[in-house]
Amino acid sequence: MEVAKKILITGGAGFIGSHVVRLFVNKYPQYQIFNLDKLTYAGNLENLMDIEGQSNYHFIRADIADEQAVKQVFAEVQPDAVIHLAAESHVDRSIKDPTAFIYTNIIGTVNLLNAAKDLWKAEHRPDDLDKHLFYHISTDEVYGSLDNGGFFLETTPYDPQSPYSASKASSDHFVRAWHNTYKLPVVISNCSNNYGPYQFPEKLIPLCIHNITHEKPLPIYGKGENIRDWLYVVDHARAIDVIYHQGKTGETYNIGGFNEWKNIDIVRLLCQIMDKKLNRAAGESEKLITFVKDRAGHDLRYAIDANKVMHELGWQPSLQFEEGLEKTIDWYLSNEVWLNNVTSGNYQKYYEEQYG
Ligand code: NAD
Ligand code: TYD
């Protein structure tokens, strides 16, 4: 693929998106990076304070569910490529109120696909479309739950179980349909659970770090026996870089680090590490563990077979889980201001100061 000059990254103010934007802005000064984000509760421009002001970074506040707004962004930016991460991402919220997931994850994705199709077809002959790329970031949750062993392969049939995963599965299907029907050059990756700096403290790991710090209860759904496959967020961003540049159009890549953990074991490990860091007696934080009512329709186990991205594209995770957890805990302990801002809604003030 030719060098893409203007890349539109959606959801760049969120957890994973901010790591992807940072990596692309710093590593590829020849690219102009446009971060399109609505700044929901999960989007915070403080995540990108270190690159704010760099000449190849631009921020646009827009809602991908708003068709006109998306068309306008495409008319103004004329992106050569899209890396699409914007989404409603939390399963528990999707159970309480699925509507936003349908608007953002499904309609928002279709708005972006249409805008890319129209712009790129208008600019080029249809057979010249491969100069462009629509890269859709998805999740392993589209494959459902591995209750009887095995791993998720790229060929595993879709079987989404939660409103969140149903909305992501739907968006994946639309991306493939636009490739099949309109020859839009697309690539999809499905990643396992991410953890690391800048994750909103509603997800298991940052929630527990926050609650251990403040000696609050650690809510474990059910018996804590559900299994997730964890990857450090910077390693996900590195995989996205590799797939963006070397992935084959029309292909799907599963991303994961072969790192399965039961929830209860992760929470115990966090307690042990944090007892040492906070100078607490061994076993002190574990007393905060509280078993609560299980999540409705709680998927039992996720586990990614990442052999394709590893062997075909040469990507490997760089960190062991214990190392990644240490880094993550240290980051949260030294970024209490960020944590207070995102939990109190104060981060909106930062946006107003920067962008009026
Ligand atoms: P996040 O919730 O931290 O961030 C989502 C971002 O999207 C936020 O900045 C938010 O403001 C923005 N956004 C939401 N609705 C929008 C809209 N209508 N218009 C424009 N912007 C909007 O999510 P995340 O954890 O960083 O996940 C990013 C992507 O990666 C998602 O597509 C998610 O499905 C996928 N994914 C996440 C994980 C994970 O473990 N977090 C794993 C695999 C895949
Ligand atoms: P989460 O971080 O919400 O990610 P996902 O649901 O996308 O996998 O949850 C990870 C696991 O931790 C999941 O099995 C649900 C469980 N969990 C708890 O036990 N307690 C909590 O407070 C949260 C947020 C999650």
Side-chain angles (χ1 to χ4, degrees), residues 38-81:
K38 181 181 174 182
L39 300 183
T40 67
Y41 78 95
N44 177 7
L45 288 176
E46 275 182 278
N47 299 1
L48 290 165
M49 258 196 304
D50 53 326
I51 59 157
E52 189 87 55
Q54 274 182 230
S55 59
N56 65 337
Y57 170 67
H58 316 271
F59 175 67
I60 303 164
R61 189 173 193 179
D63 181 350
I64 59 167
D66 178 342
E67 189 182 2
Q68 288 310 319
V70 170
K71 278 188 179 164
Q72 200 179 325
V73 171
F74 272 70
E76 281 165 16
V77 174
Q78 307 242 334
D80 296 296

Side-chain angles (χ1 to χ4, degrees), residues 28 49 52 56 76 79 95 106 113 118 135 169 185 230 237 251 253 294 296 315 322:
Y28 302 107
M49 258 196 304
E52 189 87 55
N56 65 337
E76 281 165 16
I95 293 169
I106 305 176
L113 288 167
D118 292 346
Y135 180 1
W230 294 92
E251 291 285 313
Y253 297 90
D294 207 355
W315 170 85
E322 285 78 355

